[in-house]
Amino acid sequence: MRALRIILVVTVILGGLFVIADRVAVGFAENKAADRIRSTEGLTSTPDVSIEGFPFLTQVAGGELDDVKIGIKDYEASAEGAKGTAGGAGTIRIDTLNAEMHGVSFNGDYSSATANSASGSATVSYAELLKAAKSQPTQVAPGVTAQVVGLSDGGNGKIKVELTATVFGKKLPEPVSVLSSVAVVGGNLVKVHADGLPKLGVDLVEGRIRAITDFEQRIDGLPGGIKLDKVEAAANGVDISVKGSDVRLVG
C-alpha cells in the first residue's frame, strides 16, 4: 500500500508538472504567434491569440493545432468605394475582427503557419460605411440635389439610409429615409440597395435617385486572404461573417 501511495503521489506530481509545462509552452507560442501576426499584417497593436485544446504539447508533436482564435481591433483593410463617392480608393477601419482557425500546421519557430479553414466575424461602423455613400450634394434632376447624411440600424437586418434634398432652391425641412438591404457579393463587396425610393416631393427617374441611395464598399486585404461571407445590419454597424480556406496566418 505504501508503494502504491508513492506511485500515486509521484504520478500526481508529474501530472502537475506536465500541466504547468504545457501552459507555459502554450503561453510562449501564443505570444510568439501574436508578434508574428502583428509584424506580417503591419498592425498598430498586438492581436489576441488563443491556442485552444489540451494538451498543447501533444498537438505540437503532431505538427498541427486543432483550433487557434485570433482577435484584432481597429484593423485597416484596403477598400474601394463606388466611383465618384467620398470613399474612393483607400482603407476602411474594421472595429473588430475575430477569426477561429481550424487545423493549423506550422514550422518549428512559428514563423509560418497555415490553417485548413477559418470562420469568424467582423464589424464595420456606420460612420465608416458612410464614406462609400455619396455624402456630397448630387444633382438627381433639374433643380433637385440630394445626398446621404446618415446610416443606422433599420431593424430586421436592414440599414436605414437618411437623405436630405434641395428642391428648386428649397431644402427639405427634415431628412427623408429609406430602408435598404445589404448583401455580400463575390467575397469582398458589400452592396447596399434601397428596398423602395424615398419621397422627395417631385417625380424622379428611379435610376437617378438610386445613384444616391444605392452604393457599395469593396473590402480587401483581410488577414490570410479571408473573404467576406454574409452581412447584416446591427445596432452600431454592419456585422459581417468571414470565412476562408488554406489561410496563411504568418510567413
Side-chain angles (χ1 to χ4, degrees):
M1 290 295 293
R2 177 181 175 82
L4 180 58
R5 284 198 298 269
I6 292 174
I7 292 173
L8 289 175
V9 170
V10 170
T11 301
V12 170
I13 293 174
L14 290 177
L17 291 175
F18 175 78
V19 171
I20 293 172
D22 191 80
R23 295 302 88 192
V24 170
V26 75
F28 172 81
E30 289 171 344
N31 292 336
K32 192 78 171 178
D35 288 340
R36 291 284 188 180
I37 293 172
R38 177 177 180 175
S39 176
T40 300
E41 298 296 332
L43 305 178
T44 57
S45 61
T46 304
D48 294 326
V49 175
S50 176
I51 299 175
E52 305 295 302
F54 179 83
F56 166 70
L57 292 174
T58 58
Q59 295 182 65
V60 171
E64 183 175 286
L65 304 177
D66 295 335
D67 295 286
V68 177
K69 294 181 178 179
I70 299 173
I72 302 174
K73 294 186 181 298
D74 299 328
Y75 183 80
E76 295 286 340
S78 58
E80 182 181 347
K83 292 182 179 179
T85 68
T91 63
I92 184 169
R93 181 172 58 84
I94 298 175
D95 289 348
T96 57
L97 175 60
N98 297 303
E100 184 169 352
M101 311 293 175
H102 309 283
V104 180
S105 56
F106 54 91
N107 63 4
D109 62 355
Y110 307 106
S111 62
S112 176
T114 303
N116 291 333
S117 62
S119 59
S121 62
T123 301
V124 176
S125 71
Y126 288 119
E128 284 292 303
L129 191 60
L130 183 60
K131 295 177 182 179
K134 288 195 174 179
S135 54
Q136 298 297 321
T138 302
Q139 184 173 324
V140 293
V144 183
T145 61
Q147 67 184 101
V148 176
V149 294
L151 304 176
S152 59
D153 182 16
N156 297 318
K158 304 287 187 178
I159 293 179
K160 180 181 176 182
V161 180
E162 287 191 317
L163 304 96
T164 187
T166 298
V167 181
F168 301 116
K170 183 178 181 180
K171 186 175 182 180
L172 297 184
E174 297 289 340
V176 297
S177 63
V178 60
L179 291 179
S180 298
S181 299
V182 57
V184 168
V185 178
N188 62 355
L189 190 66
V190 176
K191 300 190 74 170
V192 178
H193 179 80
D195 294 348
L197 298 180
K199 304 298 183 181
L200 299 181
V202 292
D203 292 331
L204 298 173
V205 176
E206 181 174 347
R208 286 290 189 92
I209 191 61
R210 283 201 178 276
I212 305 297
T213 60
D214 297 4
F215 58 93
E216 59 191 39
Q217 176 67 70
R218 191 175 302 278
I219 302 177
D220 290 312
L222 295 182
I226 291 174
K227 298 294 185 181
L228 311 182
D229 185 26
K230 298 177 181 179
V231 62
E232 184 176 67
N236 300 312
V238 291
D239 290 340
I240 304 172
S241 298
V242 298
K243 66 178 182 179
S245 57
D246 294 326
V247 176
R248 195 171 185 81
L249 302 181
V250 293

